[in-house]
Amino acid sequence: MDRLKGIEVFVKAIRLGGLSAAARDLSMSPAMAAKHLNALEQRLGATLANRTTRRLALTEVGAAYLDKAERVLAELEDADAEAMAQSAAVEGLLRVSGPAAFGSAYLVDLVTAFHERHPAVTVELGLNDRVVDLLEERWDVAVRIGRLADSNLVARKLAPVRMAICASPAYLGRRGTPHSLDDLAGHDCLGYTLGNETGTTRWGFGRDGSRAVAVRGSLHANNGQVLAQAAVAGMGLVYGPRFFVDRAIGDGRLVELDLGAELLDLGAVHAVTHRTRRPAAKTRAWIDFLVQRLPAMAQDW
């Protein structure tokens, strides 16, 4: 039987949790998937995975073989993609995931400009603050903000992100201007419910957020843009990425504060794709477009 297909069935079965799942992904019957795996093991003269009715368990030989097999398949995908890239058209459905508030503020404008350049691409933009599974949920690329955890994803840094603490002139005129971290105790601090270092009961300072300061405030929200708008309206201090407040700082609706302490290092904006899939032409075009456009937008961040 096809040697390469057997390797592909083996890798898919382990990564997807069984032969049935691998068969569905490869558009073949479970019986055919089992035949391919059996043929591969017979050719190698070794058992790669012990089967039960519910799962596959790698043997010691199988674990070593899996690592090399994945590399072989990835290199073949790269070779195929590079060969096709010369004539690949930038077209089709591009599924992009991104954070809700950042997406509303910036990604919509970027998608509009991208569509003008590549009108044959239809963009599906999914905005939420949940970390999506690119492979399982079939997203082509995700825009993520922060310090990325180690993973099997490929990340392209697009722009740095700086933090800021701000308040409106009206609020500062009414409550006074804080000049130190100790002064935060006497102010309304608008809390981000999804963040530990900029949350509802503590704000973190220092690059890693390890210097914790107790805070309280009259508004908590799970959306940074909402908190920025509340700060403009005079409800209190907002502590978050500068991209939420740069326009309001620029036109005087917010005042950036200096509390004499190093602010949290939030990391950067990244474009993230899956390591085992070389991006299609549409995905490469989108990432290249972000690399070209986003740094200019982020100059004030």
Side-chain angles (χ1 to χ4, degrees), residues 6-72:
I7 295 174
E8 192 172 12
V9 167
F10 168 63
V11 170
K12 291 282 187 182
I14 297 301
R15 292 308 180 206
L16 298 180
L19 281 170
S20 295
R24 286 193 299 272
D25 191 78
L26 296 170
S27 300
M28 65 175 65
S29 69
M32 180 58 68
K35 287 182 179 180
H36 278 292
L37 181 54
N38 289 337
L40 175 63
E41 290 181 325
Q42 288 173 8
R43 188 184 63 79
L44 296 174
T47 300
L48 299 177
N50 294 315
R51 290 108 154 140
T52 68
T53 55
R54 294 188 176 181
R55 59 188 293 269
L56 298 177
L58 281 172
T59 63
E60 184 177 353
V61 173
Y65 190 77
L66 177 65
D67 181 61
K68 295 180 175 62
E70 285 186 314
R71 275 185 261 160
V72 167

Short mmCIF file of all heavy atoms in Angstrom, two decimals, residues 6-72:
data_model
loop_
_atom_site.label_atom_id
_atom_site.label_comp_id
_atom_site.label_asym_id
_atom_site.label_seq_id
_atom_site.Cartn_x
_atom_site.Cartn_y
_atom_site.Cartn_z
N GLY A 6 0.32 5.69 4.59
CA GLY A 6 0.38 5.02 5.88
C GLY A 6 0.96 5.93 6.96
O GLY A 6 0.47 5.97 8.09
N ILE A 7 2.02 6.67 6.60
CA ILE A 7 2.62 7.61 7.55
C ILE A 7 1.60 8.69 7.92
O ILE A 7 1.46 9.07 9.09
CB ILE A 7 3.89 8.24 6.95
CG1 ILE A 7 4.96 7.16 6.75
CG2 ILE A 7 4.41 9.35 7.84
CD1 ILE A 7 6.20 7.64 6.02
N GLU A 8 0.88 9.19 6.93
CA GLU A 8 -0.10 10.24 7.17
C GLU A 8 -1.22 9.74 8.08
O GLU A 8 -1.66 10.46 8.99
CB GLU A 8 -0.66 10.73 5.83
CG GLU A 8 -1.45 12.01 5.93
CD GLU A 8 -1.84 12.56 4.58
OE1 GLU A 8 -1.69 11.85 3.56
OE2 GLU A 8 -2.30 13.71 4.54
N VAL A 9 -1.69 8.51 7.84
CA VAL A 9 -2.74 7.93 8.69
C VAL A 9 -2.24 7.81 10.13
O VAL A 9 -2.96 8.15 11.08
CB VAL A 9 -3.17 6.55 8.15
CG1 VAL A 9 -3.99 5.80 9.19
CG2 VAL A 9 -3.96 6.72 6.87
N PHE A 10 -1.02 7.34 10.30
CA PHE A 10 -0.44 7.17 11.63
C PHE A 10 -0.39 8.51 12.37
O PHE A 10 -0.84 8.62 13.52
CB PHE A 10 0.96 6.57 11.50
CG PHE A 10 1.78 6.62 12.76
CD1 PHE A 10 1.36 5.93 13.91
CD2 PHE A 10 2.96 7.34 12.82
CE1 PHE A 10 2.11 5.98 15.07
CE2 PHE A 10 3.71 7.40 13.97
CZ PHE A 10 3.29 6.72 15.11
N VAL A 11 0.15 9.54 11.74
CA VAL A 11 0.28 10.85 12.39
C VAL A 11 -1.10 11.43 12.72
O VAL A 11 -1.35 11.93 13.82
CB VAL A 11 1.08 11.82 11.49
CG1 VAL A 11 1.00 13.25 12.04
CG2 VAL A 11 2.53 11.36 11.38
N LYS A 12 -2.02 11.34 11.76
CA LYS A 12 -3.37 11.88 12.00
C LYS A 12 -4.08 11.13 13.13
O LYS A 12 -4.77 11.73 13.96
CB LYS A 12 -4.21 11.79 10.72
CG LYS A 12 -3.78 12.71 9.60
CD LYS A 12 -4.25 14.12 9.82
CE LYS A 12 -3.96 14.99 8.62
NZ LYS A 12 -4.37 16.39 8.84
N ALA A 13 -3.93 9.82 13.16
CA ALA A 13 -4.60 9.01 14.17
C ALA A 13 -4.12 9.38 15.57
O ALA A 13 -4.92 9.49 16.51
CB ALA A 13 -4.37 7.53 13.91
N ILE A 14 -2.83 9.61 15.71
CA ILE A 14 -2.30 9.98 17.02
C ILE A 14 -2.74 11.39 17.40
O ILE A 14 -3.19 11.65 18.52
CB ILE A 14 -0.75 9.88 17.03
CG1 ILE A 14 -0.31 8.43 16.80
CG2 ILE A 14 -0.20 10.42 18.34
CD1 ILE A 14 -0.83 7.44 17.82
N ARG A 15 -2.64 12.32 16.48
CA ARG A 15 -2.94 13.72 16.79
C ARG A 15 -4.44 13.98 16.95
O ARG A 15 -4.85 14.86 17.73
CB ARG A 15 -2.38 14.64 15.70
CG ARG A 15 -0.86 14.69 15.67
CD ARG A 15 -0.30 15.02 17.02
NE ARG A 15 1.16 15.08 17.06
CZ ARG A 15 1.88 14.87 18.13
NH1 ARG A 15 1.27 14.54 19.28
NH2 ARG A 15 3.19 14.96 18.11
N LEU A 16 -5.27 13.22 16.25
CA LEU A 16 -6.72 13.43 16.32
C LEU A 16 -7.42 12.48 17.28
O LEU A 16 -8.62 12.59 17.47
CB LEU A 16 -7.33 13.31 14.91
CG LEU A 16 -6.84 14.35 13.89
CD1 LEU A 16 -7.52 14.12 12.55
CD2 LEU A 16 -7.10 15.77 14.38
N GLY A 17 -6.69 11.53 17.83
CA GLY A 17 -7.25 10.70 18.88
C GLY A 17 -7.79 9.35 18.45
O GLY A 17 -8.43 8.67 19.25
N GLY A 18 -7.55 8.92 17.22
CA GLY A 18 -8.01 7.60 16.82
C GLY A 18 -8.08 7.44 15.32
O GLY A 18 -8.03 8.41 14.55
N LEU A 19 -8.25 6.19 14.89
CA LEU A 19 -8.31 5.90 13.46
C LEU A 19 -9.57 6.45 12.81
O LEU A 19 -9.55 6.87 11.65
CB LEU A 19 -8.22 4.39 13.23
CG LEU A 19 -6.81 3.79 13.33
CD1 LEU A 19 -6.88 2.27 13.33
CD2 LEU A 19 -5.95 4.28 12.16
N SER A 20 -10.67 6.45 13.52
CA SER A 20 -11.92 6.98 12.94
C SER A 20 -11.78 8.46 12.63
O SER A 20 -12.20 8.92 11.56
CB SER A 20 -13.09 6.74 13.89
OG SER A 20 -13.34 5.36 14.06
N ALA A 21 -11.20 9.20 13.56
CA ALA A 21 -11.01 10.63 13.32
C ALA A 21 -10.04 10.87 12.18
O ALA A 21 -10.24 11.76 11.35
CB ALA A 21 -10.50 11.31 14.60
N ALA A 22 -8.97 10.06 12.12
CA ALA A 22 -8.02 10.19 11.02
C ALA A 22 -8.68 9.87 9.68
O ALA A 22 -8.45 10.55 8.67
CB ALA A 22 -6.84 9.26 11.26
N ALA A 23 -9.52 8.84 9.68
CA ALA A 23 -10.22 8.46 8.44
C ALA A 23 -11.12 9.59 7.95
O ALA A 23 -11.15 9.90 6.76
CB ALA A 23 -11.03 7.19 8.68
N ARG A 24 -11.86 10.21 8.88
CA ARG A 24 -12.72 11.34 8.49
C ARG A 24 -11.90 12.48 7.92
O ARG A 24 -12.27 13.08 6.91
CB ARG A 24 -13.53 11.82 9.70
CG ARG A 24 -14.67 10.91 10.11
CD ARG A 24 -15.61 11.60 11.09
NE ARG A 24 -14.93 11.99 12.31
CZ ARG A 24 -14.81 11.21 13.38
NH1 ARG A 24 -15.32 9.98 13.36
NH2 ARG A 24 -14.19 11.64 14.47
N ASP A 25 -10.79 12.80 8.56
CA ASP A 25 -9.96 13.91 8.10
C ASP A 25 -9.35 13.63 6.74
O ASP A 25 -9.16 14.55 5.93
CB ASP A 25 -8.85 14.17 9.12
CG ASP A 25 -8.12 15.46 8.87
OD1 ASP A 25 -8.68 16.53 9.22
OD2 ASP A 25 -7.01 15.44 8.31
N LEU A 26 -9.06 12.37 6.46
CA LEU A 26 -8.42 12.00 5.19
C LEU A 26 -9.41 11.48 4.16
O LEU A 26 -9.00 11.01 3.09
CB LEU A 26 -7.35 10.93 5.46
CG LEU A 26 -6.17 11.38 6.33
CD1 LEU A 26 -5.30 10.20 6.73
CD2 LEU A 26 -5.34 12.43 5.60
N SER A 27 -10.70 11.57 4.48
CA SER A 27 -11.76 11.18 3.53
C SER A 27 -11.62 9.73 3.08
O SER A 27 -11.63 9.41 1.89
CB SER A 27 -11.77 12.12 2.31
OG SER A 27 -12.01 13.45 2.71
N MET A 28 -11.48 8.83 4.06
CA MET A 28 -11.44 7.40 3.76
C MET A 28 -12.21 6.66 4.84
O MET A 28 -12.59 7.25 5.86
CB MET A 28 -9.99 6.89 3.67
CG MET A 28 -9.23 6.95 4.98
SD MET A 28 -7.56 6.21 4.90
CE MET A 28 -6.75 7.30 3.75
N SER A 29 -12.46 5.40 4.64
CA SER A 29 -13.19 4.61 5.63
C SER A 29 -12.25 4.23 6.78
O SER A 29 -11.03 4.13 6.58
CB SER A 29 -13.76 3.35 5.00
OG SER A 29 -12.70 2.46 4.65
N PRO A 30 -12.80 3.98 7.98
CA PRO A 30 -11.96 3.52 9.09
C PRO A 30 -11.24 2.21 8.76
O PRO A 30 -10.09 2.02 9.17
CB PRO A 30 -12.97 3.32 10.23
CG PRO A 30 -14.07 4.29 9.92
CD PRO A 30 -14.19 4.27 8.42
N ALA A 31 -11.90 1.34 8.02
CA ALA A 31 -11.26 0.08 7.64
C ALA A 31 -10.04 0.31 6.77
O ALA A 31 -8.99 -0.33 6.94
CB ALA A 31 -12.27 -0.81 6.91
N MET A 32 -10.14 1.27 5.83
CA MET A 32 -9.02 1.57 4.96
C MET A 32 -7.89 2.22 5.76
O MET A 32 -6.71 1.93 5.54
CB MET A 32 -9.47 2.50 3.83
CG MET A 32 -8.35 2.87 2.85
SD MET A 32 -7.58 1.42 2.06
CE MET A 32 -8.97 0.85 1.04
N ALA A 33 -8.24 3.09 6.71
CA ALA A 33 -7.22 3.70 7.55
C ALA A 33 -6.46 2.64 8.35
O ALA A 33 -5.23 2.69 8.47
CB ALA A 33 -7.85 4.72 8.50
N ALA A 34 -7.19 1.67 8.87
CA ALA A 34 -6.56 0.58 9.62
C ALA A 34 -5.63 -0.23 8.74
O ALA A 34 -4.53 -0.63 9.16
CB ALA A 34 -7.63 -0.31 10.24
N LYS A 35 -6.04 -0.47 7.48
CA LYS A 35 -5.19 -1.22 6.55
C LYS A 35 -3.88 -0.47 6.28
O LYS A 35 -2.81 -1.07 6.21
CB LYS A 35 -5.95 -1.47 5.25
CG LYS A 35 -7.04 -2.51 5.34
CD LYS A 35 -7.71 -2.74 4.00
CE LYS A 35 -8.79 -3.81 4.10
NZ LYS A 35 -9.46 -4.04 2.79
N HIS A 36 -3.98 0.86 6.12
CA HIS A 36 -2.77 1.64 5.87
C HIS A 36 -1.83 1.58 7.07
O HIS A 36 -0.62 1.43 6.90
CB HIS A 36 -3.14 3.10 5.58
CG HIS A 36 -3.57 3.35 4.17
ND1 HIS A 36 -2.69 3.26 3.12
CD2 HIS A 36 -4.77 3.70 3.64
CE1 HIS A 36 -3.33 3.55 1.98
NE2 HIS A 36 -4.59 3.81 2.28
N LEU A 37 -2.37 1.66 8.28
CA LEU A 37 -1.53 1.60 9.46
C LEU A 37 -0.92 0.21 9.63
O LEU A 37 0.26 0.07 9.95
CB LEU A 37 -2.33 1.99 10.70
CG LEU A 37 -1.56 2.01 12.03
CD1 LEU A 37 -0.32 2.89 11.94
CD2 LEU A 37 -2.47 2.48 13.16
N ASN A 38 -1.72 -0.81 9.37
CA ASN A 38 -1.20 -2.19 9.47
C ASN A 38 -0.07 -2.41 8.47
O ASN A 38 0.96 -3.02 8.80
CB ASN A 38 -2.32 -3.20 9.21
CG ASN A 38 -3.32 -3.25 10.36
OD1 ASN A 38 -3.00 -2.89 11.47
ND2 ASN A 38 -4.53 -3.70 10.06
N ALA A 39 -0.25 -1.91 7.26
CA ALA A 39 0.78 -2.07 6.22
C ALA A 39 2.06 -1.35 6.62
O ALA A 39 3.17 -1.87 6.39
CB ALA A 39 0.26 -1.54 4.89
N LEU A 40 1.94 -0.17 7.22
CA LEU A 40 3.11 0.57 7.65
C LEU A 40 3.86 -0.21 8.74
O LEU A 40 5.09 -0.35 8.69
CB LEU A 40 2.69 1.95 8.18
CG LEU A 40 3.80 2.81 8.79
CD1 LEU A 40 4.86 3.15 7.75
CD2 LEU A 40 3.21 4.09 9.39
N GLU A 41 3.13 -0.74 9.72
CA GLU A 41 3.77 -1.49 10.79
C GLU A 41 4.41 -2.78 10.28
O GLU A 41 5.50 -3.16 10.72
CB GLU A 41 2.74 -1.80 11.89
CG GLU A 41 2.29 -0.56 12.67
CD GLU A 41 1.29 -0.88 13.76
OE1 GLU A 41 0.46 -1.80 13.55
OE2 GLU A 41 1.33 -0.22 14.81
N GLN A 42 3.76 -3.44 9.31
CA GLN A 42 4.32 -4.66 8.74
C GLN A 42 5.62 -4.35 7.99
O GLN A 42 6.60 -5.11 8.08
CB GLN A 42 3.31 -5.32 7.81
CG GLN A 42 2.14 -5.95 8.54
CD GLN A 42 1.06 -6.45 7.60
OE1 GLN A 42 1.24 -6.46 6.38
NE2 GLN A 42 -0.08 -6.85 8.16
N ARG A 43 5.65 -3.24 7.27
CA ARG A 43 6.85 -2.87 6.54
C ARG A 43 8.00 -2.55 7.49
O ARG A 43 9.16 -2.91 7.24
CB ARG A 43 6.58 -1.66 5.64
CG ARG A 43 7.72 -1.32 4.68
CD ARG A 43 7.44 -0.08 3.89
NE ARG A 43 7.33 1.09 4.76
CZ ARG A 43 8.37 1.73 5.28
NH1 ARG A 43 9.60 1.30 5.01
NH2 ARG A 43 8.21 2.76 6.05
N LEU A 44 7.66 -1.90 8.64
CA LEU A 44 8.68 -1.55 9.61
C LEU A 44 9.06 -2.72 10.51
O LEU A 44 10.13 -2.71 11.13
CB LEU A 44 8.18 -0.39 10.49
CG LEU A 44 7.92 0.94 9.79
CD1 LEU A 44 7.30 1.93 10.77
CD2 LEU A 44 9.19 1.52 9.20
N GLY A 45 8.19 -3.69 10.60
CA GLY A 45 8.44 -4.81 11.50
C GLY A 45 8.35 -4.39 12.95
O GLY A 45 9.05 -4.94 13.81
N ALA A 46 7.48 -3.41 13.24
CA ALA A 46 7.35 -2.91 14.61
C ALA A 46 5.93 -2.40 14.84
O ALA A 46 5.27 -1.96 13.91
CB ALA A 46 8.35 -1.77 14.86
N THR A 47 5.50 -2.50 16.08
CA THR A 47 4.20 -1.94 16.46
C THR A 47 4.39 -0.49 16.87
O THR A 47 5.16 -0.19 17.78
CB THR A 47 3.58 -2.73 17.63
OG1 THR A 47 3.40 -4.10 17.23
CG2 THR A 47 2.24 -2.14 18.04
N LEU A 48 3.69 0.40 16.19
CA LEU A 48 3.81 1.84 16.48
C LEU A 48 2.82 2.30 17.54
O LEU A 48 3.10 3.24 18.28
CB LEU A 48 3.60 2.65 15.20
CG LEU A 48 4.59 2.38 14.06
CD1 LEU A 48 4.21 3.21 12.83
CD2 LEU A 48 6.01 2.70 14.50
N ALA A 49 1.66 1.66 17.59
CA ALA A 49 0.63 2.06 18.55
C ALA A 49 -0.20 0.86 18.93
O ALA A 49 -0.60 0.06 18.07
CB ALA A 49 -0.26 3.15 17.96
N ASN A 50 -0.46 0.72 20.22
CA ASN A 50 -1.37 -0.31 20.71
C ASN A 50 -2.79 0.21 20.61
O ASN A 50 -3.08 1.33 21.02
CB ASN A 50 -1.03 -0.68 22.15
CG ASN A 50 0.33 -1.34 22.26
OD1 ASN A 50 0.66 -2.22 21.46
ND2 ASN A 50 1.13 -0.92 23.23
N ARG A 51 -3.71 -0.60 20.03
CA ARG A 51 -5.08 -0.16 19.82
C ARG A 51 -6.00 -0.71 20.89
O ARG A 51 -5.85 -1.85 21.31
CB ARG A 51 -5.63 -0.64 18.46
CG ARG A 51 -4.99 0.07 17.27
CD ARG A 51 -4.10 -0.92 16.61
NE ARG A 51 -3.89 -0.67 15.20
CZ ARG A 51 -2.71 -0.84 14.65
NH1 ARG A 51 -1.68 -1.21 15.39
NH2 ARG A 51 -2.56 -0.67 13.36
N THR A 52 -6.92 0.13 21.33
CA THR A 52 -8.07 -0.32 22.11
C THR A 52 -9.30 0.14 21.34
O THR A 52 -9.19 0.76 20.29
CB THR A 52 -8.07 0.28 23.53
OG1 THR A 52 -8.31 1.69 23.43
CG2 THR A 52 -6.74 0.04 24.23
N THR A 53 -10.46 -0.15 21.86
CA THR A 53 -11.68 0.24 21.15
C THR A 53 -11.85 1.75 21.13
O THR A 53 -12.58 2.28 20.29
CB THR A 53 -12.92 -0.39 21.83
OG1 THR A 53 -12.93 -0.03 23.21
CG2 THR A 53 -12.88 -1.90 21.68
N ARG A 54 -11.18 2.47 22.04
CA ARG A 54 -11.40 3.90 22.14
C ARG A 54 -10.20 4.75 21.75
O ARG A 54 -10.35 5.92 21.40
CB ARG A 54 -11.83 4.27 23.56
CG ARG A 54 -13.19 3.71 23.94
CD ARG A 54 -13.64 4.27 25.27
NE ARG A 54 -14.98 3.82 25.62
CZ ARG A 54 -15.63 4.18 26.73
NH1 ARG A 54 -15.05 5.01 27.57
NH2 ARG A 54 -16.84 3.72 26.98
N ARG A 55 -8.99 4.21 21.85
CA ARG A 55 -7.83 5.08 21.64
C ARG A 55 -6.64 4.29 21.16
O ARG A 55 -6.63 3.05 21.15
CB ARG A 55 -7.47 5.81 22.94
CG ARG A 55 -7.14 4.89 24.10
CD ARG A 55 -6.99 5.67 25.39
NE ARG A 55 -5.84 6.54 25.37
CZ ARG A 55 -4.63 6.19 25.79
NH1 ARG A 55 -4.42 4.97 26.26
NH2 ARG A 55 -3.63 7.03 25.77
N LEU A 56 -5.62 5.05 20.74
CA LEU A 56 -4.33 4.50 20.37
C LEU A 56 -3.31 4.92 21.42
O LEU A 56 -3.31 6.07 21.86
CB LEU A 56 -3.89 5.01 19.01
CG LEU A 56 -4.77 4.66 17.80
CD1 LEU A 56 -4.22 5.33 16.56
CD2 LEU A 56 -4.83 3.16 17.60
N ALA A 57 -2.44 4.02 21.80
CA ALA A 57 -1.38 4.34 22.76
C ALA A 57 -0.04 4.09 22.09
O ALA A 57 0.26 2.97 21.65
CB ALA A 57 -1.52 3.46 24.02
N LEU A 58 0.77 5.12 21.99
CA LEU A 58 2.07 5.01 21.33
C LEU A 58 2.98 4.03 22.07
O LEU A 58 3.05 4.05 23.31
CB LEU A 58 2.76 6.36 21.27
CG LEU A 58 2.30 7.35 20.20
CD1 LEU A 58 2.96 8.70 20.43
CD2 LEU A 58 2.60 6.84 18.81
N THR A 59 3.67 3.21 21.32
CA THR A 59 4.75 2.42 21.88
C THR A 59 6.01 3.29 21.92
O THR A 59 6.03 4.40 21.39
CB THR A 59 5.02 1.17 21.03
OG1 THR A 59 5.45 1.60 19.73
CG2 THR A 59 3.76 0.32 20.91
N GLU A 60 7.06 2.78 22.52
CA GLU A 60 8.32 3.54 22.55
C GLU A 60 8.84 3.77 21.14
O GLU A 60 9.29 4.86 20.79
CB GLU A 60 9.35 2.78 23.39
CG GLU A 60 10.66 3.54 23.56
CD GLU A 60 11.65 2.81 24.46
OE1 GLU A 60 11.25 1.79 25.04
OE2 GLU A 60 12.80 3.26 24.56
N VAL A 61 8.74 2.75 20.30
CA VAL A 61 9.15 2.89 18.90
C VAL A 61 8.26 3.91 18.19
O VAL A 61 8.73 4.76 17.42
CB VAL A 61 9.08 1.53 18.17
CG1 VAL A 61 9.34 1.70 16.68
CG2 VAL A 61 10.08 0.56 18.77
N GLY A 62 6.96 3.83 18.47
CA GLY A 62 6.02 4.74 17.83
C GLY A 62 6.26 6.19 18.19
O GLY A 62 6.14 7.10 17.35
N ALA A 63 6.61 6.46 19.45
CA ALA A 63 6.87 7.84 19.89
C ALA A 63 8.06 8.43 19.15
O ALA A 63 8.03 9.60 18.73
CB ALA A 63 7.10 7.87 21.39
N ALA A 64 9.12 7.63 18.98
CA ALA A 64 10.29 8.11 18.25
C ALA A 64 9.97 8.30 16.77
O ALA A 64 10.41 9.27 16.14
CB ALA A 64 11.45 7.13 18.43
N TYR A 65 9.18 7.38 16.21
CA TYR A 65 8.84 7.45 14.80
C TYR A 65 7.92 8.64 14.51
O TYR A 65 8.03 9.29 13.46
CB TYR A 65 8.16 6.15 14.38
CG TYR A 65 7.97 5.99 12.88
CD1 TYR A 65 9.02 5.64 12.06
CD2 TYR A 65 6.72 6.20 12.30
CE1 TYR A 65 8.85 5.49 10.70
CE2 TYR A 65 6.53 6.06 10.94
CZ TYR A 65 7.61 5.71 10.13
OH TYR A 65 7.43 5.57 8.79
N LEU A 66 7.02 8.95 15.45
CA LEU A 66 6.06 10.04 15.26
C LEU A 66 6.76 11.37 15.02
O LEU A 66 6.39 12.14 14.13
CB LEU A 66 5.14 10.14 16.48
CG LEU A 66 4.12 11.29 16.45
CD1 LEU A 66 3.11 11.10 15.33
CD2 LEU A 66 3.41 11.39 17.80
N ASP A 67 7.77 11.65 15.82
CA ASP A 67 8.48 12.93 15.70
C ASP A 67 9.09 13.08 14.31
O ASP A 67 8.96 14.12 13.66
CB ASP A 67 9.56 13.01 16.78
CG ASP A 67 10.33 14.32 16.72
OD1 ASP A 67 9.70 15.38 16.87
OD2 ASP A 67 11.55 14.29 16.49
N LYS A 68 9.74 12.04 13.83
CA LYS A 68 10.38 12.11 12.51
C LYS A 68 9.33 12.12 11.39
O LYS A 68 9.49 12.81 10.37
CB LYS A 68 11.34 10.93 12.33
CG LYS A 68 12.53 10.97 13.29
CD LYS A 68 13.44 9.78 13.07
CE LYS A 68 14.69 9.87 13.94
NZ LYS A 68 14.39 9.88 15.38
N ALA A 69 8.24 11.37 11.58
CA ALA A 69 7.19 11.32 10.57
C ALA A 69 6.54 12.69 10.39
O ALA A 69 6.24 13.11 9.27
CB ALA A 69 6.15 10.27 10.95
N GLU A 70 6.30 13.39 11.50
CA GLU A 70 5.70 14.72 11.41
C GLU A 70 6.61 15.68 10.66
O GLU A 70 6.15 16.51 9.88
CB GLU A 70 5.41 15.26 12.81
CG GLU A 70 4.20 14.60 13.47
CD GLU A 70 3.85 15.25 14.79
OE1 GLU A 70 4.78 15.49 15.59
OE2 GLU A 70 2.67 15.52 15.02
N ARG A 71 7.91 15.57 10.90
CA ARG A 71 8.85 16.45 10.20
C ARG A 71 8.85 16.16 8.70
O ARG A 71 8.91 17.07 7.88
CB ARG A 71 10.26 16.27 10.78
CG ARG A 71 10.50 17.14 12.01
CD ARG A 71 11.92 17.04 12.48
NE ARG A 71 12.04 16.12 13.59
CZ ARG A 71 13.18 15.56 13.97
NH1 ARG A 71 14.27 15.78 13.29
NH2 ARG A 71 13.22 14.76 15.00
N VAL A 72 8.80 14.89 8.35
CA VAL A 72 8.77 14.51 6.93
C VAL A 72 7.53 15.08 6.25
O VAL A 72 7.61 15.67 5.16
CB VAL A 72 8.81 12.98 6.78
CG1 VAL A 72 8.47 12.57 5.35
CG2 VAL A 72 10.18 12.45 7.15
#
